[in-house]
Short mmCIF file of all heavy atoms in Angstrom, two decimals:
data_model
loop_
_atom_site.label_atom_id
_atom_site.label_comp_id
_atom_site.label_asym_id
_atom_site.label_seq_id
_atom_site.Cartn_x
_atom_site.Cartn_y
_atom_site.Cartn_z
N MET A 736 34.65 127.89 93.22
CA MET A 736 33.70 127.07 92.52
C MET A 736 33.42 127.62 91.10
O MET A 736 33.36 128.83 90.91
CB MET A 736 32.35 127.12 93.31
CG MET A 736 31.34 126.10 92.85
SD MET A 736 29.66 126.51 93.44
CE MET A 736 29.08 127.58 92.14
N LYS A 737 33.30 126.73 90.16
CA LYS A 737 33.02 127.14 88.80
C LYS A 737 31.55 127.55 88.74
O LYS A 737 30.68 126.89 89.27
CB LYS A 737 33.24 125.96 87.83
CG LYS A 737 34.66 125.60 87.63
CD LYS A 737 34.77 124.26 86.88
CE LYS A 737 36.21 123.81 86.88
NZ LYS A 737 36.28 122.36 86.44
N THR A 738 31.28 128.68 88.11
CA THR A 738 29.92 129.10 87.92
C THR A 738 29.42 128.98 86.50
O THR A 738 28.22 129.14 86.21
CB THR A 738 29.70 130.55 88.38
OG1 THR A 738 30.59 131.39 87.65
CG2 THR A 738 30.02 130.70 89.89
N ARG A 739 30.38 128.71 85.58
CA ARG A 739 30.01 128.63 84.18
C ARG A 739 30.81 127.53 83.50
O ARG A 739 32.05 127.43 83.74
CB ARG A 739 30.29 129.95 83.47
CG ARG A 739 29.90 129.95 82.01
CD ARG A 739 30.40 131.28 81.37
NE ARG A 739 29.96 131.43 79.99
CZ ARG A 739 30.51 130.84 78.96
NH1 ARG A 739 31.52 130.01 79.15
NH2 ARG A 739 30.05 131.03 77.75
N MET A 740 30.12 126.68 82.75
CA MET A 740 30.89 125.62 82.03
C MET A 740 30.30 125.62 80.59
O MET A 740 29.11 125.81 80.40
CB MET A 740 30.68 124.27 82.62
CG MET A 740 31.55 124.04 83.86
SD MET A 740 31.62 122.30 84.32
CE MET A 740 30.35 122.26 85.59
N GLU A 741 31.21 125.35 79.63
CA GLU A 741 30.76 125.33 78.24
C GLU A 741 31.15 123.98 77.66
O GLU A 741 32.25 123.48 77.83
CB GLU A 741 31.43 126.48 77.47
CG GLU A 741 30.90 126.57 76.04
CD GLU A 741 31.37 127.85 75.35
OE1 GLU A 741 31.73 128.81 76.04
OE2 GLU A 741 31.39 127.84 74.11
N PHE A 742 30.20 123.41 76.93
CA PHE A 742 30.37 122.07 76.35
C PHE A 742 30.19 122.11 74.83
O PHE A 742 29.34 122.86 74.35
CB PHE A 742 29.35 121.06 76.92
CG PHE A 742 29.50 120.89 78.38
CD1 PHE A 742 28.85 121.71 79.26
CD2 PHE A 742 30.31 119.87 78.91
CE1 PHE A 742 28.96 121.55 80.67
CE2 PHE A 742 30.44 119.70 80.27
CZ PHE A 742 29.76 120.53 81.16
N ALA A 743 31.04 121.39 74.11
CA ALA A 743 30.83 121.17 72.67
C ALA A 743 29.90 119.94 72.57
O ALA A 743 30.20 118.89 73.14
CB ALA A 743 32.12 120.88 71.99
N VAL A 744 28.76 120.14 71.89
CA VAL A 744 27.74 119.07 71.86
C VAL A 744 27.61 118.55 70.46
O VAL A 744 27.56 119.35 69.48
CB VAL A 744 26.41 119.59 72.40
CG1 VAL A 744 25.29 118.57 72.26
CG2 VAL A 744 26.56 120.01 73.85
N GLY A 745 27.51 117.23 70.28
CA GLY A 745 27.35 116.66 68.98
C GLY A 745 26.06 115.87 68.85
O GLY A 745 25.52 115.37 69.83
N GLY A 746 25.50 115.80 67.63
CA GLY A 746 24.35 114.96 67.35
C GLY A 746 23.08 115.75 67.25
O GLY A 746 21.98 115.13 67.06
N MET A 747 23.13 117.06 67.33
CA MET A 747 21.86 117.88 67.26
C MET A 747 21.53 118.12 65.80
O MET A 747 22.35 118.29 64.96
CB MET A 747 22.08 119.22 68.00
CG MET A 747 22.31 119.06 69.47
SD MET A 747 22.32 120.68 70.32
CE MET A 747 23.87 121.35 69.76
N HIS A 748 20.17 118.14 65.56
CA HIS A 748 19.68 118.36 64.22
C HIS A 748 18.86 119.65 64.11
O HIS A 748 18.74 120.23 63.04
CB HIS A 748 18.86 117.18 63.75
CG HIS A 748 19.39 115.87 64.12
ND1 HIS A 748 20.54 115.36 63.56
CD2 HIS A 748 19.02 114.99 65.08
CE1 HIS A 748 20.79 114.18 64.12
NE2 HIS A 748 19.90 113.92 65.06
N CYS A 749 18.16 120.03 65.20
CA CYS A 749 17.21 121.15 65.10
C CYS A 749 17.07 121.78 66.45
O CYS A 749 17.69 121.33 67.46
CB CYS A 749 15.85 120.63 64.60
SG CYS A 749 15.04 119.55 65.78
N GLY A 750 16.22 122.78 66.55
CA GLY A 750 16.00 123.55 67.76
C GLY A 750 15.52 122.68 68.90
O GLY A 750 15.85 122.92 70.07
N SER A 751 14.68 121.67 68.61
CA SER A 751 14.15 120.90 69.72
C SER A 751 15.18 120.03 70.36
O SER A 751 15.11 119.69 71.49
CB SER A 751 12.97 119.99 69.27
OG SER A 751 12.66 120.16 67.95
N CYS A 752 16.24 119.70 69.60
CA CYS A 752 17.36 118.99 70.18
C CYS A 752 17.97 119.81 71.30
O CYS A 752 18.29 119.31 72.39
CB CYS A 752 18.44 118.67 69.13
SG CYS A 752 17.94 117.48 67.91
N GLY A 753 18.14 121.09 71.08
CA GLY A 753 18.73 122.01 72.06
C GLY A 753 17.82 122.11 73.28
O GLY A 753 18.31 122.08 74.44
N LEU A 754 16.49 122.17 73.06
CA LEU A 754 15.56 122.27 74.21
C LEU A 754 15.60 121.00 75.07
O LEU A 754 15.54 121.05 76.25
CB LEU A 754 14.14 122.51 73.70
CG LEU A 754 13.91 123.85 72.97
CD1 LEU A 754 12.51 123.97 72.43
CD2 LEU A 754 14.22 125.01 73.90
N LEU A 755 15.75 119.87 74.36
CA LEU A 755 15.79 118.59 75.05
C LEU A 755 16.97 118.53 75.95
O LEU A 755 16.93 118.10 77.11
CB LEU A 755 15.93 117.49 73.97
CG LEU A 755 15.19 116.20 74.15
CD1 LEU A 755 13.70 116.43 73.96
CD2 LEU A 755 15.66 115.18 73.13
N ILE A 756 18.14 118.99 75.46
CA ILE A 756 19.34 119.01 76.28
C ILE A 756 19.19 119.95 77.48
O ILE A 756 19.49 119.62 78.59
CB ILE A 756 20.54 119.46 75.38
CG1 ILE A 756 20.90 118.32 74.41
CG2 ILE A 756 21.78 119.89 76.23
CD1 ILE A 756 21.87 118.70 73.33
N ASP A 757 18.67 121.19 77.20
CA ASP A 757 18.51 122.16 78.28
C ASP A 757 17.56 121.61 79.38
O ASP A 757 17.84 121.80 80.53
CB ASP A 757 18.04 123.49 77.73
CG ASP A 757 19.10 124.15 76.85
OD1 ASP A 757 20.30 123.83 77.05
OD2 ASP A 757 18.74 124.93 75.94
N ASP A 758 16.48 120.97 78.98
CA ASP A 758 15.55 120.39 79.95
C ASP A 758 16.26 119.34 80.84
O ASP A 758 16.12 119.38 82.05
CB ASP A 758 14.40 119.68 79.23
CG ASP A 758 13.34 120.71 78.77
OD1 ASP A 758 13.46 121.89 79.14
OD2 ASP A 758 12.40 120.30 78.08
N GLU A 759 17.00 118.49 80.19
CA GLU A 759 17.70 117.44 80.90
C GLU A 759 18.77 118.05 81.87
O GLU A 759 18.86 117.61 83.03
CB GLU A 759 18.37 116.49 79.88
CG GLU A 759 18.72 115.17 80.40
CD GLU A 759 17.55 114.24 80.61
OE1 GLU A 759 16.60 114.24 79.75
OE2 GLU A 759 17.48 113.54 81.61
N VAL A 760 19.53 118.95 81.39
CA VAL A 760 20.62 119.53 82.23
C VAL A 760 20.04 120.38 83.36
O VAL A 760 20.55 120.33 84.50
CB VAL A 760 21.59 120.37 81.35
CG1 VAL A 760 22.58 121.12 82.19
CG2 VAL A 760 22.30 119.47 80.36
N GLU A 761 18.95 121.10 83.12
CA GLU A 761 18.38 121.96 84.14
C GLU A 761 17.72 121.13 85.28
O GLU A 761 17.41 121.67 86.32
CB GLU A 761 17.42 122.95 83.54
CG GLU A 761 18.17 124.09 82.84
CD GLU A 761 17.27 125.11 82.15
OE1 GLU A 761 16.06 124.87 82.05
OE2 GLU A 761 17.81 126.12 81.73
N GLU A 762 17.53 119.85 85.03
CA GLU A 762 16.97 119.01 86.10
C GLU A 762 18.02 118.67 87.16
O GLU A 762 17.68 118.22 88.26
CB GLU A 762 16.40 117.70 85.52
CG GLU A 762 15.01 117.82 85.00
CD GLU A 762 14.48 116.56 84.37
OE1 GLU A 762 15.04 115.45 84.75
OE2 GLU A 762 13.64 116.60 83.57
N LEU A 763 19.31 118.85 86.83
CA LEU A 763 20.35 118.47 87.78
C LEU A 763 20.43 119.54 88.93
O LEU A 763 20.42 120.72 88.68
CB LEU A 763 21.72 118.51 87.05
CG LEU A 763 21.95 117.43 86.00
CD1 LEU A 763 23.30 117.69 85.31
CD2 LEU A 763 21.93 116.08 86.62
N PRO A 764 20.50 119.06 90.17
CA PRO A 764 20.62 119.98 91.30
C PRO A 764 21.96 120.71 91.17
O PRO A 764 22.99 120.13 90.85
CB PRO A 764 20.69 119.00 92.51
CG PRO A 764 20.20 117.70 92.05
CD PRO A 764 20.45 117.63 90.56
N GLY A 765 21.88 122.03 91.39
CA GLY A 765 23.06 122.87 91.29
C GLY A 765 23.11 123.66 90.02
O GLY A 765 23.85 124.65 89.90
N VAL A 766 22.38 123.24 89.01
CA VAL A 766 22.35 123.93 87.71
C VAL A 766 21.29 125.04 87.79
O VAL A 766 20.13 124.74 88.13
CB VAL A 766 22.08 122.95 86.56
CG1 VAL A 766 21.81 123.74 85.27
CG2 VAL A 766 23.18 121.96 86.39
N SER A 767 21.69 126.26 87.45
CA SER A 767 20.67 127.30 87.38
C SER A 767 20.12 127.50 86.03
O SER A 767 18.90 127.56 85.81
CB SER A 767 21.19 128.64 87.99
OG SER A 767 22.42 128.97 87.48
N THR A 768 20.98 127.53 84.96
CA THR A 768 20.48 127.58 83.64
C THR A 768 21.32 126.80 82.65
O THR A 768 22.51 126.61 82.88
CB THR A 768 20.44 129.06 83.09
OG1 THR A 768 21.75 129.58 83.07
CG2 THR A 768 19.51 129.93 83.89
N SER A 769 20.71 126.32 81.59
CA SER A 769 21.41 125.67 80.51
C SER A 769 20.90 126.33 79.23
O SER A 769 19.71 126.46 78.98
CB SER A 769 21.08 124.19 80.52
OG SER A 769 21.65 123.57 79.33
N ALA A 770 21.83 126.75 78.38
CA ALA A 770 21.49 127.39 77.14
C ALA A 770 22.27 126.79 75.98
O ALA A 770 23.51 126.83 75.96
CB ALA A 770 21.78 128.88 77.20
N THR A 771 21.56 126.11 75.09
CA THR A 771 22.19 125.40 73.98
C THR A 771 22.01 126.22 72.68
O THR A 771 20.88 126.63 72.37
CB THR A 771 21.59 124.03 73.81
OG1 THR A 771 21.87 123.24 75.00
CG2 THR A 771 22.18 123.29 72.61
N ASP A 772 23.09 126.39 71.99
CA ASP A 772 23.10 127.02 70.67
C ASP A 772 23.33 125.87 69.62
O ASP A 772 24.42 125.36 69.55
CB ASP A 772 24.19 128.09 70.55
CG ASP A 772 24.17 128.87 69.28
OD1 ASP A 772 23.90 128.22 68.20
OD2 ASP A 772 24.36 130.09 69.31
N VAL A 773 22.27 125.50 68.96
CA VAL A 773 22.30 124.32 68.05
C VAL A 773 23.27 124.63 66.90
O VAL A 773 24.05 123.77 66.54
CB VAL A 773 20.90 123.99 67.51
CG1 VAL A 773 20.99 122.86 66.50
CG2 VAL A 773 19.99 123.62 68.66
N ARG A 774 23.25 125.85 66.36
CA ARG A 774 24.07 126.18 65.22
C ARG A 774 25.58 126.14 65.59
O ARG A 774 26.42 125.65 64.84
CB ARG A 774 23.72 127.59 64.71
CG ARG A 774 24.21 127.89 63.31
CD ARG A 774 23.69 129.26 62.84
NE ARG A 774 23.99 130.29 63.87
CZ ARG A 774 25.21 130.84 64.01
NH1 ARG A 774 26.21 130.52 63.27
NH2 ARG A 774 25.33 131.78 64.94
N LYS A 775 25.90 126.66 66.79
CA LYS A 775 27.31 126.65 67.24
C LYS A 775 27.70 125.34 67.86
O LYS A 775 28.87 125.16 68.20
CB LYS A 775 27.52 127.77 68.23
CG LYS A 775 27.47 129.16 67.61
CD LYS A 775 27.71 130.25 68.67
CE LYS A 775 27.62 131.65 68.11
NZ LYS A 775 27.53 132.67 69.18
N GLU A 776 26.69 124.44 68.13
CA GLU A 776 26.92 123.18 68.78
C GLU A 776 27.59 123.38 70.14
O GLU A 776 28.58 122.72 70.45
CB GLU A 776 27.79 122.26 67.87
CG GLU A 776 27.05 121.94 66.58
CD GLU A 776 27.78 120.90 65.76
OE1 GLU A 776 28.95 121.13 65.39
OE2 GLU A 776 27.20 119.81 65.48
N ARG A 777 27.04 124.30 70.91
CA ARG A 777 27.58 124.63 72.25
C ARG A 777 26.45 124.68 73.28
O ARG A 777 25.37 125.15 72.97
CB ARG A 777 28.31 125.97 72.25
CG ARG A 777 29.64 125.97 71.53
CD ARG A 777 30.69 125.30 72.37
NE ARG A 777 32.06 125.60 71.93
CZ ARG A 777 32.65 125.03 70.94
NH1 ARG A 777 32.06 124.09 70.22
NH2 ARG A 777 33.93 125.36 70.66
N THR A 778 26.73 124.15 74.47
CA THR A 778 25.82 124.31 75.62
C THR A 778 26.55 125.06 76.70
O THR A 778 27.62 124.65 77.13
CB THR A 778 25.31 122.96 76.11
OG1 THR A 778 24.54 122.33 75.07
CG2 THR A 778 24.46 123.09 77.37
N VAL A 779 25.99 126.19 77.14
CA VAL A 779 26.57 126.96 78.23
C VAL A 779 25.71 126.74 79.47
O VAL A 779 24.50 126.95 79.46
CB VAL A 779 26.65 128.47 77.87
CG1 VAL A 779 27.11 129.29 79.09
CG2 VAL A 779 27.60 128.67 76.70
N VAL A 780 26.36 126.25 80.54
CA VAL A 780 25.65 125.95 81.78
C VAL A 780 26.11 126.89 82.90
O VAL A 780 27.30 127.08 83.09
CB VAL A 780 25.95 124.49 82.19
CG1 VAL A 780 25.22 124.15 83.46
CG2 VAL A 780 25.50 123.53 81.09
N HIS A 781 25.15 127.49 83.56
CA HIS A 781 25.44 128.35 84.74
C HIS A 781 25.08 127.59 86.00
O HIS A 781 24.03 126.96 86.05
CB HIS A 781 24.75 129.70 84.65
CG HIS A 781 25.38 130.63 83.69
ND1 HIS A 781 24.97 130.73 82.37
CD2 HIS A 781 26.45 131.46 83.79
CE1 HIS A 781 25.74 131.61 81.72
NE2 HIS A 781 26.65 132.04 82.57
N LEU A 782 25.95 127.62 86.96
CA LEU A 782 25.82 126.86 88.17
C LEU A 782 25.58 127.68 89.40
O LEU A 782 26.16 128.77 89.57
CB LEU A 782 27.09 126.00 88.39
CG LEU A 782 27.51 125.11 87.24
CD1 LEU A 782 28.90 124.53 87.50
CD2 LEU A 782 26.49 124.03 87.05
N ALA A 783 24.71 127.17 90.28
CA ALA A 783 24.45 127.82 91.60
C ALA A 783 25.20 127.08 92.70
O ALA A 783 25.33 127.53 93.80
CB ALA A 783 22.95 127.88 91.89
N ALA A 784 25.61 125.84 92.37
CA ALA A 784 26.36 125.02 93.30
C ALA A 784 27.34 124.19 92.49
O ALA A 784 27.22 124.09 91.25
CB ALA A 784 25.43 124.12 94.08
N ALA A 785 28.28 123.56 93.17
CA ALA A 785 29.30 122.81 92.47
C ALA A 785 28.68 121.59 91.81
O ALA A 785 27.97 120.79 92.47
CB ALA A 785 30.43 122.38 93.41
N VAL A 786 28.90 121.38 90.51
CA VAL A 786 28.41 120.19 89.79
C VAL A 786 29.57 119.73 88.92
O VAL A 786 30.13 120.50 88.18
CB VAL A 786 27.19 120.53 88.88
CG1 VAL A 786 26.75 119.28 88.12
CG2 VAL A 786 26.08 121.16 89.68
N PRO A 787 29.96 118.44 89.10
CA PRO A 787 31.07 117.94 88.23
C PRO A 787 30.63 117.96 86.75
O PRO A 787 29.51 117.64 86.40
CB PRO A 787 31.25 116.51 88.72
CG PRO A 787 30.46 116.36 89.95
CD PRO A 787 29.40 117.45 89.92
N ALA A 788 31.62 118.27 85.89
CA ALA A 788 31.34 118.26 84.46
C ALA A 788 30.83 116.95 84.00
O ALA A 788 29.96 116.86 83.09
CB ALA A 788 32.62 118.63 83.70
N GLU A 789 31.28 115.88 84.62
CA GLU A 789 30.85 114.50 84.22
C GLU A 789 29.38 114.33 84.41
O GLU A 789 28.73 113.59 83.65
CB GLU A 789 31.63 113.46 85.04
CG GLU A 789 33.11 113.39 84.82
CD GLU A 789 33.92 114.62 85.34
OE1 GLU A 789 33.43 115.21 86.33
OE2 GLU A 789 34.92 114.95 84.73
N ARG A 790 28.76 114.92 85.45
CA ARG A 790 27.35 114.83 85.68
C ARG A 790 26.55 115.45 84.52
O ARG A 790 25.54 114.93 84.07
CB ARG A 790 26.95 115.57 86.98
CG ARG A 790 27.29 114.85 88.26
CD ARG A 790 26.45 113.63 88.56
NE ARG A 790 25.02 113.88 88.60
CZ ARG A 790 24.33 114.34 89.65
NH1 ARG A 790 24.95 114.68 90.74
NH2 ARG A 790 23.03 114.50 89.60
N ILE A 791 27.05 116.59 84.03
CA ILE A 791 26.39 117.30 82.97
C ILE A 791 26.55 116.53 81.67
O ILE A 791 25.62 116.40 80.89
CB ILE A 791 26.94 118.74 82.85
CG1 ILE A 791 26.57 119.49 84.15
CG2 ILE A 791 26.39 119.48 81.65
CD1 ILE A 791 27.30 120.83 84.34
N ILE A 792 27.74 116.01 81.43
CA ILE A 792 27.97 115.20 80.23
C ILE A 792 27.05 113.99 80.20
O ILE A 792 26.48 113.59 79.18
CB ILE A 792 29.47 114.84 80.15
CG1 ILE A 792 30.30 116.06 79.83
CG2 ILE A 792 29.72 113.72 79.09
CD1 ILE A 792 31.83 115.88 79.97
N ALA A 793 26.88 113.38 81.42
CA ALA A 793 26.05 112.18 81.49
C ALA A 793 24.58 112.57 81.22
O ALA A 793 23.85 111.79 80.55
CB ALA A 793 26.12 111.57 82.91
N ALA A 794 24.15 113.73 81.69
CA ALA A 794 22.74 114.17 81.43
C ALA A 794 22.54 114.44 79.95
O ALA A 794 21.48 114.06 79.38
CB ALA A 794 22.48 115.43 82.24
N ILE A 795 23.51 115.00 79.29
CA ILE A 795 23.44 115.26 77.85
C ILE A 795 23.43 113.98 77.09
O ILE A 795 22.69 113.80 76.12
CB ILE A 795 24.61 116.20 77.41
CG1 ILE A 795 24.42 117.59 78.03
CG2 ILE A 795 24.63 116.28 75.87
CD1 ILE A 795 25.56 118.55 77.79
N ALA A 796 24.25 113.01 77.54
CA ALA A 796 24.26 111.66 76.91
C ALA A 796 22.91 110.96 77.09
O ALA A 796 22.44 110.28 76.19
CB ALA A 796 25.38 110.82 77.52
N GLU A 797 22.29 111.19 78.23
CA GLU A 797 20.93 110.60 78.47
C GLU A 797 19.91 111.13 77.50
O GLU A 797 18.99 110.45 77.12
CB GLU A 797 20.48 110.94 79.92
CG GLU A 797 19.92 109.74 80.65
CD GLU A 797 19.92 110.02 82.15
OE1 GLU A 797 18.99 110.56 82.65
OE2 GLU A 797 20.96 109.68 82.78
N ALA A 798 20.07 112.39 77.09
CA ALA A 798 19.19 112.98 76.11
C ALA A 798 19.53 112.47 74.71
O ALA A 798 18.77 112.70 73.79
CB ALA A 798 19.28 114.51 76.19
N GLY A 799 20.66 111.82 74.57
CA GLY A 799 20.99 111.21 73.28
C GLY A 799 22.07 111.93 72.46
O GLY A 799 22.17 111.71 71.27
N TYR A 800 22.87 112.76 73.18
CA TYR A 800 23.87 113.53 72.47
C TYR A 800 25.26 113.40 73.12
O TYR A 800 25.34 112.95 74.28
CB TYR A 800 23.47 115.02 72.47
CG TYR A 800 22.09 115.22 71.90
CD1 TYR A 800 20.99 115.22 72.79
CD2 TYR A 800 21.85 115.33 70.55
CE1 TYR A 800 19.69 115.36 72.31
CE2 TYR A 800 20.54 115.45 70.07
CZ TYR A 800 19.49 115.46 70.92
OH TYR A 800 18.23 115.58 70.44
N THR A 801 26.28 113.75 72.41
CA THR A 801 27.62 113.70 72.97
C THR A 801 28.03 115.07 73.43
O THR A 801 27.59 116.09 72.91
CB THR A 801 28.63 113.24 71.93
OG1 THR A 801 28.64 114.16 70.84
CG2 THR A 801 28.31 111.83 71.41
N ALA A 802 28.91 115.12 74.48
CA ALA A 802 29.32 116.41 75.01
C ALA A 802 30.78 116.30 75.49
O ALA A 802 31.19 115.30 76.06
CB ALA A 802 28.44 116.86 76.12
N VAL A 803 31.51 117.40 75.26
CA VAL A 803 32.91 117.48 75.70
C VAL A 803 33.04 118.86 76.34
O VAL A 803 32.63 119.86 75.78
CB VAL A 803 33.90 117.35 74.52
CG1 VAL A 803 35.34 117.54 75.01
CG2 VAL A 803 33.76 116.02 73.86
N LEU A 804 33.65 118.90 77.54
CA LEU A 804 33.89 120.18 78.19
C LEU A 804 34.92 120.99 77.43
O LEU A 804 36.00 120.46 77.15
CB LEU A 804 34.34 119.97 79.64
CG LEU A 804 34.65 121.20 80.48
CD1 LEU A 804 33.35 121.95 80.78
CD2 LEU A 804 35.32 120.81 81.81
N VAL A 805 34.59 122.20 77.02
CA VAL A 805 35.55 123.02 76.33
C VAL A 805 36.08 124.18 77.14
O VAL A 805 37.15 124.71 76.87
CB VAL A 805 35.01 123.54 74.98
CG1 VAL A 805 34.88 122.41 73.99
CG2 VAL A 805 33.68 124.27 75.13
N ARG A 806 35.29 124.59 78.15
CA ARG A 806 35.71 125.76 78.97
C ARG A 806 35.03 125.69 80.34
O ARG A 806 33.83 125.31 80.40
CB ARG A 806 35.29 127.04 78.26
CG ARG A 806 36.28 128.17 78.41
CD ARG A 806 35.92 129.28 77.47
NE ARG A 806 36.12 128.89 76.05
CZ ARG A 806 35.47 129.45 75.03
NH1 ARG A 806 34.52 130.36 75.24
NH2 ARG A 806 35.69 129.06 73.80
N GLY A 807 35.77 125.98 81.40
CA GLY A 807 35.17 126.08 82.70
C GLY A 807 35.63 124.98 83.64
O GLY A 807 36.41 124.13 83.24
CU1 CU B 2265 16.20 118.09 66.78
#
């Protein structure tokens, strides 16, 4: 099982954009933490259970941003 996934995220403007994404992603069952670096345009997600990358991408899209899996 993957325990870490990293996404390239587009559309962020400031720190609250990152918090918005982390809030949305951390609501998903199986996600333990989500950490977004706005400057690097990356979100690192740690998993406690198996979660498909598509679920996380959909959650980020719901927050209003684009995401592509880059690692994990
Ligand atoms: Cu913002």
Side-chain angles (χ1 to χ4, degrees):
M736 191 198 89
K737 289 168 190 167
T738 57
R739 182 188 186 281
M740 283 194 263
E741 186 171 337
F742 298 87
V744 176
M747 295 188 289
H748 318 290
C749 67
S751 358
C752 291
L754 295 176
L755 220 69
I756 289 169
D757 292 335
D758 279 354
E759 199 74 40
V760 172
E761 283 178 352
E762 276 178 24
L763 293 174
V766 171
S767 47
T768 60
S769 173
T771 298
D772 186 319
V773 177
R774 197 177 50 79
K775 291 181 181 166
E776 299 188 300
R777 286 286 198 277
T778 295
V779 174
V780 179
H781 284 95
L782 303 171
V786 180
E789 294 70 29
R790 286 287 304 278
I791 295 167
I792 290 169
I795 294 173
E797 226 162 88
Y800 306 93
T801 61
V803 176
L804 180 67
V805 288
R806 219 168 292 155

